[in-house]
Amino acid sequence: MSDPELEGVQRLSAADLGLRRTWQRGAILEVLADCRDFVSASELHGLLSSAGESIGLTTVYRALRDLERGGHVDVVRDETGSRFFRQRPAAGHRHYLICRCCGLSRAVDTEVVERWAEGLMADSGFADVEHTLELVGVCAECSPTLAAGEPPCRDDARDRAGCRDRRD
């Protein structure tokens, strides 16, 4: 059974993306492809370590920077400015609704936003306009604990990121 949140996410190699091929980039791309939610660089590093990969955190940051520059990952920021990454599906640019408690993410239909951005570009005379839309809330699973005043955030990065366990 396929995971709908991973639909459109292809297993890519560094060569597919026009990046220098290294075993570290390959491992990073493999783990990132298994995550249906956004992960921080340090969470990704932890997932790699738990899978037995010995890759430095600086290498993870560098690879994520290269993937972002190439348009191969979507990036969101939380309220503290921390950056979280998710492999961009083959369909391209998407927007997400993200739980501010646990990090759960869901792709949302934002066709109206895309049309608005295109119209703004045409009306203003600007070219190559980029935009960021951040939608955050509290998911159904976190709502009860939030209402009870309990801290709703989960500590396990693999659970938070919705990543498949690579040890299976």
Side-chain angles (χ1 to χ4, degrees), residues 16 25 28 42 45 49 56 62 67 74 83 94 96 98-100 153 156-157:
D16 293 334
R25 278 206 179 108
I28 290 165
S42 61
H45 180 258
S49 295
R62 188 177 305 118
L67 290 168
D74 288 320
R83 297 162 51 89
R94 282 192 181 172
Y96 298 88
I98 302 169
C99 178
R100 71 175 146 262
C153 298
D156 187 349

Side-chain angles (χ1 to χ4, degrees), residues 122-136:
D123 293 345
S124 67
F126 276 71
D128 197 26
V129 172
E130 296 178 8
H131 64 274
T132 302
L133 175 65
E134 306 240 351
L135 302 166
V136 295

Side-chain angles (χ1 to χ4, degrees), residues 75-90:
V75 182
V76 296
R77 293 180 186 266
D78 67 8
E79 63 278 355
T80 66
S82 297
R83 297 162 51 89
F84 295 86
F85 304 86
R86 179 178 176 177
Q87 185 178 321
R88 183 170 287 169

